[in-house]
Amino acid sequence: MENKKYCWDLECLLKGKTLDALIKEWTNKQEEILKLYPDFYKSLPDFKKWLKVNEEDEVISNRLMNYISNNYQEDLSNPKWISYSQKISTLANEYGQKTSDYQNIILKNEKKIRSYLKDKSISEYQRAFDLIFKTKKHILSKKEEKLLTKVSRINSGFERIFDTLTDSDIKFDDAIDSKGKKIPLKTVADVSKYLKNKDRQLRKTTWINFNHAFNKFESSLTQTLYYNYLMLNTNSKLRNYKDYIDAAADADEVDEKLILHIYKMIQKFKPSIDNYSKKFNKLLKKQLNLPKLEPWDKSVDLTKKEVKVTIEQTKKIVLEALKPLGKDYLSNIKKAFDENWISWLPKPSKQTGAYSIGGTKGLDKYYISMNFDETFRSISTIAHELGHSMHSLYFNKKQKVYADCGIFYAEISSIVNETLLSLYLIDKYKNDKEMTRMILDEFISNFFSTTTRQIIFSNFEYLANQYVNQAKPFTKESLKKLYIDMIKKYQGVSKEIDKKINTTVPYTYIPSTIFRIGHFYVGNFYVYKYAIGQIVAIDVANKIYNGDKQMLKRYFDFLSSGCSKSPLDTIKILGIDLRSEKPYNESKNFIDEIIKKFN
């Protein structure tokens, strides 16, 4: 029996209606929009009405999509939610086809629409239309746009295939402990838990069986990734972009030059990660009494203490850690806990990992899904996702038109929370050597996971797309070699492991990691933005933690701004310029000081 206290309350999205009634409300609103289409621009009153009904449609759509999507993520194998997802996708595509020449109409009537936007009652929409006006060379003819809309239904197919395969169809063999007992591995949360276990045989068989399960699908995942990138690049070129990366950068109002600058800056962290790795390996070998470490040893906590936390303890720690953000912020965190915004517990066929929902305009709750595993890592996870949800809450309070968060800077709010949590815990346990060591390790490893590791993935994705565009071999062998090359470039690989990676089982499983990065199958060239989040958040959180009132004010201005400015200008609200070297150098200096304390 599920503990309802730790389940989310999705029913409030229906507002007392049935799901079918909400779908009907949604389709009725779209019919209302279509009655205005395509003549919505003919007069100022018509244009104002058009904006109003589209705002109403967005709110209804957010309620509906989140209700279906979040129920589906709870059970990826449930035929009811698969059916509803497919139904909504079909209806959305049909509607999209009917309005597929919307941008053509806007561009054709740019002069008239610019005159309408001088009206003070709707002038706030100026930026939204400026973003359309600037895409002129990427908008195709009415006939071509309609055709692309028809085929767009398949665009999310690769992500759906990946999710179903990895979260539902892939099954893990039982792990075996040192006494020969079989231990079921039902979810990825189980894998994470057992990789921290004291029993080395259990860790080893968990690591091997988890990786072996994915290794069996290397060829399928390679083909899925290839055709995903082929589709993304083909669609981008059809729209007169150089390629998919060019299109993704343009959507963020940046260019490839900035992306390559970020790659170059993160390479500077290589000596830092090497210093940390040497310290970590020395401490872990001593703790485990081992002459050398294997991959299945490296998730063990750097403490002999049995550190487990309950959900209730986690809530208290988070509330204490986030006090520097003020009473209003804390009251909203309590609301999230008390009003069932969160699906806490893991279960079979539930989406792995964690997320805070998008599409939040008009909602009262900003839902979070996670897989709580009783570890300190789960505290960081919920603090992280609450950062996203609070970001949604604050921009929804402030913004009417731009109640959304640009994907480019989305991770800042979540990593600020994680960093404040870490700084709080470092201070709280400063007199406990073992706990301090564990917390510092968690903080440092998280830092490199969201900078170096994500840039390894991003640079891999950048180059893998070049393989597609330049007709280079796109095979599981070439991708695994590329991944190892990226590890060496940013992080380094020990000579012993390097020799075994391509020849010795189970070390041959290590390069297979690259096939299970879910973001690759989504189509938004996303992961380098984690590094942006970390670089910016370190500076913001450190200053807020140390009582910088000016940064605290800037931070809430940032949270409230939504997507009302360009991504780089949004970050500049915090006084940070990502095109310079300064934020990266400051971040490196900060983490180097933390590493000095780690011993």
Side-chain angles (χ1 to χ4, degrees):
M1 186 104 175
E2 279 188 310
N3 187 339
K4 297 296 182 184
K5 184 177 182 181
Y6 301 130
C7 295
W8 49 16
D9 171 29
L10 297 177
E11 296 308 305
C12 72
L13 290 168
L14 298 178
K15 295 190 180 297
K17 296 184 177 183
T18 65
L19 175 54
D20 289 330
L22 182 57
I23 292 173
K24 183 63 177 172
E25 183 182 354
W26 179 57
T27 56
N28 286 344
K29 184 58 65 175
Q30 290 181 337
E31 287 173 10
E32 185 180 349
I33 291 171
L34 291 173
K35 286 178 182 178
L36 297 170
Y37 195 84
D39 297 326
F40 60 88
Y41 65 90
K42 290 291 180 69
S43 71
L44 180 58
D46 285 343
F47 188 68
K48 286 184 177 181
K49 187 174 182 181
W50 168 261
L51 295 175
K52 180 176 179 293
V53 294
N54 273 278
E55 290 280 352
E56 293 166 352
D57 174 65
E58 184 179 1
V59 171
I60 297 168
S61 178
N62 285 342
R63 288 168 52 208
L64 176 62
M65 300 302 179
N66 272 298
Y67 185 80
I68 292 173
S69 174
N70 291 321
N71 273 298
Y72 171 67
Q73 301 298 340
E74 284 286 286
D75 185 358
L76 293 166
S77 63
N78 189 314
K80 174 183 175 181
W81 299 114
I82 293 172
S83 176
Y84 269 114
S85 295
Q86 292 170 345
K87 178 179 179 178
I88 292 302
S89 176
T90 300
L91 290 172
N93 185 264
E94 289 172 354
Y95 172 73
Q97 288 181 45
K98 293 171 183 175
T99 58
S100 60
D101 62 337
Y102 171 66
Q103 289 182 311
N104 300 78
I105 294 170
I106 296 297
L107 293 172
K108 188 176 179 180
N109 297 279
E110 180 177 349
K111 186 176 180 180
K112 183 177 283 190
I113 290 169
R114 285 191 182 278
S115 71
Y116 292 160
L117 293 171
K118 292 177 182 178
D119 186 302
K120 288 185 179 180
S121 66
I122 58 170
S123 60
E124 191 177 358
Y125 289 87
Q126 183 69 56
R127 171 169 159 75
F129 283 93
D130 281 343
L131 289 173
I132 297 175
F133 297 147
K134 84 179 185 70
T135 64
K136 184 172 283 189
K137 69 177 182 179
H138 304 296
I139 303 300
L140 307 180
S141 70
K142 178 179 178 179
K143 184 178 180 180
E144 289 168 329
E145 288 293 342
K146 190 168 186 178
L147 180 61
L148 285 179
T149 303
K150 281 184 177 180
V151 300
S152 67
R153 285 186 64 194
I154 66 171
N155 290 358
S156 62
F158 299 99
E159 180 185 8
R160 185 64 59 85
I161 290 167
F162 175 83
D163 286 344
T164 303
L165 179 66
T166 57
D167 294 327
S168 183
D169 290 349
I170 289 181
K171 304 298 181 186
F172 310 124
D173 292 337
D174 293 342
I176 300 173
D177 67 14
S178 57
K179 296 179 181 178
K181 182 181 177 182
K182 291 184 176 180
I183 309 293
L185 300 177
K186 295 180 180 179
T187 68
V188 174
D190 288 337
V191 173
S192 299
K193 180 168 66 174
Y194 295 134
L195 284 175
K196 291 180 176 289
N197 198 278
K198 292 179 180 179
D199 188 324
R200 196 182 194 201
Q201 180 65 18
L202 175 58
R203 294 199 306 271
K204 181 177 180 178
T205 55
T206 296
W207 189 90
I208 290 173
N209 291 348
F210 171 70
N211 281 281
H212 179 63
F214 281 92
N215 180 260
K216 289 187 294 185
F217 289 91
E218 277 184 350
S219 295
S220 297
L221 290 169
T222 299
Q223 290 301 306
T224 303
L225 191 59
Y226 172 76
Y227 283 104
N228 182 44
Y229 286 160
L230 183 62
M231 178 205 70
L232 290 166
N233 281 283
T234 300
N235 287 350
S236 298
K237 289 173 184 178
L238 283 172
R239 293 194 174 281
N240 302 311
Y241 288 103
K242 184 181 75 174
D243 54 24
Y244 160 52
I245 305 299
D246 182 39
D250 187 63
D252 287 322
E253 301 177 73
V254 297
D255 53 33
E256 285 189 47
K257 186 177 178 182
L258 176 67
I259 296 168
L260 296 174
H261 173 69
I262 293 168
Y263 291 170
K264 183 180 178 181
M265 291 298 100
I266 299 303
Q267 271 188 274
K268 290 184 175 184
F269 294 171
K270 190 173 181 179
S272 303
I273 197 170
D274 182 59
N275 185 19
Y276 159 67
S277 296
K278 286 176 180 176
K279 285 189 171 189
F280 173 86
N281 290 341
K282 181 180 178 181
L283 290 167
L284 192 57
K285 277 193 260 186
K286 183 178 179 181
Q287 182 195 307
L288 296 176
N289 194 26
L290 293 172
K292 67 176 183 176
L293 299 173
E294 299 289 2
W296 44 87
D297 297 319
K298 294 194 174 184
S299 295
V300 178
D301 292 327
L302 284 179
T303 175
K304 294 180 181 179
K305 291 182 178 180
E306 192 71 35
V307 182
K308 285 189 174 184
V309 290
T310 65
I311 291 174
E312 295 306 315
Q313 288 171 330
T314 295
K315 291 178 182 179
K316 290 178 182 177
I317 291 169
V318 168
L319 287 167
E320 282 295 316
L322 299 182
K323 276 185 177 179
L325 292 172
K327 291 181 180 179
D328 186 68
Y329 195 93
L330 289 183
S331 71
N332 289 313
I333 296 287
K334 289 176 184 175
K335 188 182 291 187
F337 291 153
D338 297 342
E339 296 182 4
N340 295 83
W341 293 14
I342 306 165
S343 172
W344 289 88
L345 301 170
K347 52 188 174 183
S349 293
K350 181 179 178 178
Q351 171 73 51
T352 57
Y355 66 85
S356 170
I357 63 166
T360 59
K361 183 187 286 189
L363 304 190
D364 300 316
K365 299 183 179 182
Y366 309 102
Y367 295 103
I368 293 169
S369 173
M370 69 173 298
N371 290 273
F372 188 82
D373 65 359
E374 301 181 328
T375 66
F376 257 53
R377 184 62 206 153
S378 278
I379 308 176
S380 294
T381 298
I382 192 59
H384 178 106
E385 299 305 337
L386 283 165
H388 287 307
S389 291
M390 292 302 106
H391 198 168
S392 296
L393 184 148
Y394 280 100
F395 65 60
N396 272 288
K397 281 184 177 181
K398 178 78 172 179
Q399 301 294 332
K400 174 192 171 187
V401 178
Y402 305 104
D404 201 355
C405 173
I407 196 169
F408 188 84
Y409 50 85
E411 294 304 317
I412 294 172
S413 57
S414 54
I415 299 175
V416 162
N417 277 13
E418 277 196 78
T419 305
L420 287 172
L421 171 66
S422 296
L423 293 173
Y424 163 78
L425 292 172
I426 289 168
D427 185 61
K428 178 179 173 67
Y429 292 103
K430 61 187 176 185
N431 296 321
D432 185 326
K433 188 172 182 179
E434 278 197 277
M435 284 297 291
T436 297
R437 181 181 292 165
M438 186 189 76
I439 294 159
L440 286 171
D441 174 51
E442 183 82 5
F443 181 69
I444 298 165
S445 64
N446 283 348
F447 177 87
F448 289 122
S449 291
T450 47
T451 52
T452 301
R453 184 169 171 79
Q454 297 305 326
I455 292 302
I456 286 170
F457 292 153
S458 181
N459 204 166
F460 166 90
E461 187 173 19
Y462 181 90
L463 294 171
N465 274 275
Q466 288 187 4
Y467 283 14
V468 173
N469 291 318
Q470 297 170 12
K472 291 183 177 180
F474 197 99
T475 64
K476 62 182 182 181
E477 291 80 14
S478 66
L479 296 187
K480 288 193 287 186
K481 181 182 182 304
L482 176 59
Y483 175 48
I484 296 303
D485 288 345
M486 292 300 99
I487 292 177
K488 291 176 181 178
K489 177 179 178 180
Y490 289 97
Q491 185 174 304
V493 176
S494 71
K495 291 181 180 178
E496 182 182 357
I497 295 294
D498 194 20
K499 289 178 183 177
K500 293 180 177 180
I501 279 174
N502 295 313
T503 58
T504 309
V505 176
Y507 301 93
T508 54
Y509 294 157
I510 292 173
S512 300
T513 299
I514 201 62
F515 298 113
R516 60 175 187 261
I517 308 305
H519 283 299
F520 292 168
Y521 303 84
V522 176
N524 55 18
F525 195 64
Y526 179 80
V527 295
Y528 79 94
K529 298 165 196 175
Y530 282 112
I532 290 171
Q534 183 72 73
I535 297 301
V536 174
I538 282 284
D539 185 37
V540 173
N542 189 36
K543 286 176 179 174
I544 290 174
Y545 184 79
N546 287 293
D548 187 327
K549 297 265 198 278
Q550 184 182 22
M551 179 56 84
L552 184 62
K553 182 185 181 304
R554 283 178 172 174
Y555 185 57
F556 278 97
D557 288 342
F558 163 82
L559 292 180
S560 300
S561 67
C563 55
S564 61
K565 297 176 180 290
S566 73
L568 287 178
D569 284 342
T570 301
I571 292 173
K572 282 181 180 177
I573 293 172
L574 299 164
I576 295 170
D577 181 4
L578 287 174
R579 292 191 181 276
S580 72
E581 295 190 13
K582 183 180 177 183
Y584 309 94
N585 292 337
E586 288 183 347
S587 182
K588 183 181 183 302
N589 292 339
F590 179 87
I591 200 65
D592 284 344
E593 288 301 311
I594 295 290
I595 291 171
K596 284 180 183 178
K597 300 176 183 179
F598 178 58
N599 51 55

